Structure formats: C-alpha cells, structure tokens
Amino acid sequence: MTGSTNADLLIRAAQSAPEGLWLRADAQDSGRGRLGRRWMSEPGNVFASTIVRLRPTDPASSTLAFVAGLAAHETLRQIAPEFAIQLKWPNDILT
C-alpha cells in the first residue's frame, strides 16, 4: 500500500532516481487523477508510475500519457484477445 505511486516517484526523482524507474502498488489511498481529482483505487487493479524526464524537444507530457494509454491498450488486445479491452482516456485500461 502506498499513498500514491506518482507522489512517491516525484520524491525519488528529486533525489536523482534514474529515468525509467517504475513503482507499482497493490493499492493507493491518496492517488490523484487528472486536474487533482480524487482517484479511486479499487482492489484488483494495477497502480504504477514511472520516471520520465522530458527534454525540450519532447512532445507535451499530456500527449505522452495518451500515447502510453494507446500502447498499453493495443498490447493487451494482442496478448489477451479473449478480453474486451477498453481505453478510458487518457490512459486507463478497462476490461
């Protein structure tokens, strides 16, 4: 259990943790969604964050979240075609 994988990684990133570090939790009790909205962390889901250090030439971070959601959606559709995989914008995968 963690408060928020994202908040935990923000601290680690400030302490020079490497880009690409992932943090996964079975549950969160202080997660936040877009625009600071409360995030409901239902049991049985995956909660994960990674460190990405944007460079001036990278696309806007808001578009990267959408691209990551699309990539996860397409990957899961290919490896688990028996499930009705859905994408809830920008990066929530639902079955």
Side-chain angles (χ1 to χ4, degrees):
M1 164 80 78
T2 185
S4 163
T5 58
N6 194 36
D8 292 348
L9 278 184
L10 284 172
I11 293 167
R12 291 181 184 182
Q15 297 169 341
S16 301
E19 181 175 37
L21 176 67
W22 280 88
L23 181 62
R24 186 195 64 81
D26 292 327
Q28 300 182 119
D29 62 8
S30 299
R32 292 283 173 222
R34 290 185 64 239
L35 305 174
R37 294 183 182 121
R38 180 160 167 71
W39 179 260
M40 301 306 295
S41 300
E42 299 293 329
N45 291 307
V46 175
F47 310 101
S49 298
T50 187
I51 295 176
V52 176
R53 291 197 170 83
L54 296 178
R55 293 153 192 83
T57 56
D58 287 338
S61 60
S62 59
T63 62
L64 294 177
F66 186 61
V67 169
L70 285 173
H73 176 258
E74 288 304 311
T75 300
L76 290 169
R77 280 186 24 170
Q78 289 182 22
I79 64 172
E82 66 276 16
F83 293 99
I85 307 291
Q86 298 177 332
L87 175 64
K88 178 183 166 219
W89 192 90
N91 59 4
D92 294 339
I93 304 296
L94 309 171
T95 60

